[in-house]
């Protein structure tokens, strides 16, 4: 007998479910979660990921409730009912989230420092002043007026700059270097605070820059969590690419030991 699920007035068979997941573009998300589950299970068997203690589970519960803004037991039960879950399934969801964090830490925790130093030049932040125009003659005139201290950078940026920085007197940041145009990164990285850089062509603009402050990235707890997530996401995307590029098995064929492992 074909298994089916009832959603509202519609009965969906198992054979229809795959087609619906694909139509709603949900298969990649399902694939992602299955990859994570397999990795967690594999690492648990090899004892690479520590078992979740009751204290950790209790803390994870409180954090989950806070994120969902549950105020009381009624809120929790209403959310469970809305999601079509049982209390036991909610426990699995919370514990799984904790296991994922343990998997990340066990896999990449000892690589964070080296990864940080490899990425540091992109993570450093700057505060700078910017004035841009599409007219080279105007850009040169404004540069010399700033150099001669005839006008302040801020006043000229408010009057002449053609980007949103005009609203702040040319001031931009703090912003990470990796968010800037490569030419701007090179200019700001090689300058000193207070130094006014002459008009330089970047795309359709002639820009005048002045570095206000350089803010080195720090490997604090926030940065550790961010880099850990970056490494995790990079790994996960690579796993998905490998699955997508693998040749499909022919229908009716079976490889030795295939029944013991999930088909991907």
């Amino acid at each position: 007998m074909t298994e089916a699920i009832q959603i509202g007035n519609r009965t969906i068979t198992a054979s229809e479910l795959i087609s619906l997941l694909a139509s709603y573009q949900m298969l990649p998300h399902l694939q992602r979660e299955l990859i994570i589950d397999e990795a967690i299970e594999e690492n648990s068997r090899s004892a690479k990921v520590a078992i979740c203690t009751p204290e950790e589970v209790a803390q994870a519960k409180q954090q989950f409730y806070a994120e969902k803004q549950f105020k009381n037991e009624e809120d929790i039960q209403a959310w469970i009912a809305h999601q079509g879950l049982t209390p036991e399934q909610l426990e699995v969801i919370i514990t799984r989230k904790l296991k994922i964090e343990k998997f990340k830490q066990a896999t990449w925790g000892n690589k964070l420092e080296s990864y940080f130093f490899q990425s540091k030049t992109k993570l450093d932040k700057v505060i700078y002043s910017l004035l841009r125009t599409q007219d080279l003659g105007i850009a040169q005139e404004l540069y010399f007026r700033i150099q001669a201290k005839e006008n302040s950078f801020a006043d000229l940026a408010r009057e002449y700059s053609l980007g949103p920085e005009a609203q702040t007197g040319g001031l931009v940041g703090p912003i990470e270097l990796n968010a800037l145009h490569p030419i701007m990164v090179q200019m700001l990285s090689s300058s000193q605070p207070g130094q006014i850089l002459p008009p330089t062509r970047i795309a359709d603009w002639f820009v005048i820059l002045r570095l206000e402050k350089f803010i080195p990235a720090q490997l604090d707890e926030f940065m550790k969590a961010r880099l850990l997530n970056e490494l995790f996401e990079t790994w996960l995307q690579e796993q998905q690419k490998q699955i997508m590029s693998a040749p499909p098995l022919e229908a009716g064929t079976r490889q030795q030991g295939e029944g013991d492992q999930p088909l991907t």
Side-chain angles (χ1 to χ4, degrees):
M1 184 170 117
T2 303
E3 294 184 5
I5 58 173
Q6 186 77 26
I7 300 179
N9 296 323
R10 182 170 179 180
T11 301
I12 301 172
T13 64
S15 58
E16 289 179 299
L17 188 58
I18 297 298
S19 177
L20 287 173
L21 287 172
S23 298
Y24 299 143
Q25 300 178 331
M26 297 174 69
L27 275 178
H29 181 73
L30 176 60
Q31 181 190 69
R32 169 191 171 95
E33 300 305 322
L34 291 174
I35 291 170
I36 293 172
D37 281 345
E38 186 175 348
I40 291 173
E41 180 63 27
E42 181 180 338
N43 279 268
S44 296
R45 287 197 301 266
S46 62
K48 289 182 181 179
V49 177
I51 296 173
C52 301
T53 66
E55 293 77 15
E56 287 174 331
V57 173
Q59 185 178 357
K61 274 186 181 179
Q62 292 305 314
Q63 184 176 346
F64 183 84
Y65 294 163
E67 289 173 357
K68 297 296 183 183
Q69 298 182 337
F70 295 151
K71 295 182 176 63
N72 48 47
E73 185 64 27
E74 287 74 18
D75 288 345
I76 298 172
Q77 294 304 320
W79 186 84
I80 289 175
H82 180 72
Q83 298 294 325
L85 300 171
T86 65
E88 292 74 20
Q89 287 172 321
L90 175 60
E91 183 94 11
V92 170
I93 290 172
I94 294 172
T95 305
R96 181 178 185 268
K97 193 172 181 180
L98 179 58
K99 287 179 178 179
I100 291 173
E101 292 307 313
K102 283 179 171 286
F103 167 69
K104 292 178 188 177
Q105 190 62 46
T107 308
W108 297 285
N110 62 349
K111 299 180 176 68
L112 283 182
E113 189 170 346
S114 61
Y115 182 62
F116 170 73
F117 285 111
Q118 289 172 17
S119 311
K120 190 176 182 303
T121 53
K122 301 177 184 177
L123 301 171
D124 291 334
K125 294 181 179 180
V126 289
I127 299 174
Y128 63 95
S129 290
L130 167 67
L131 194 161
R132 57 177 152 177
T133 177
Q134 293 181 314
D135 189 307
L136 177 58
I138 292 176
Q140 289 175 331
E141 179 189 343
L142 297 179
Y143 171 71
F144 290 124
R145 285 166 66 178
I146 295 170
Q147 282 282 66
K149 299 184 179 180
E150 293 179 15
N151 302 93
S152 70
F153 198 120
D155 288 342
L156 293 180
R158 288 190 185 95
E159 185 174 355
Y160 292 99
S161 199
L162 299 180
E165 66 280 348
Q167 303 300 317
T168 59
L171 199 62
V172 181
I175 185 170
E176 288 183 357
L177 287 172
N178 63 5
L180 302 178
H181 191 283
I183 296 177
M184 289 182 64
V185 173
Q186 183 178 3
M187 293 169 67
L188 292 170
S189 298
S190 59
S191 66
Q192 297 297 319
Q195 180 182 355
I196 302 169
L197 303 177
T200 301
R201 180 73 177 263
I202 300 179
D204 296 330
W205 303 100
F206 293 99
V207 305
I208 303 171
L209 292 174
R210 182 176 69 194
L211 177 65
E212 304 295 344
K213 187 177 182 181
F214 181 81
I215 307 171
Q218 302 292 326
L219 190 59
D220 53 19
E221 291 305 312
F222 176 82
M223 182 62 72
K224 287 179 181 178
R226 172 182 166 178
L227 297 181
L228 205 58
N229 284 330
E230 282 185 14
L231 289 166
F232 173 68
E233 289 297 331
T234 300
W235 167 82
L236 193 50
Q237 289 173 20
E238 184 58 35
Q239 296 300 306
Q240 288 183 288
K241 285 180 183 177
Q242 290 180 15
I243 290 174
M244 295 301 294
S245 62
L249 292 174
E250 294 181 6
T253 63
R254 176 184 170 116
Q255 297 180 356
Q256 187 175 359
E258 179 181 288
D260 298 330
Q261 297 187 15
L263 295 180
T264 55

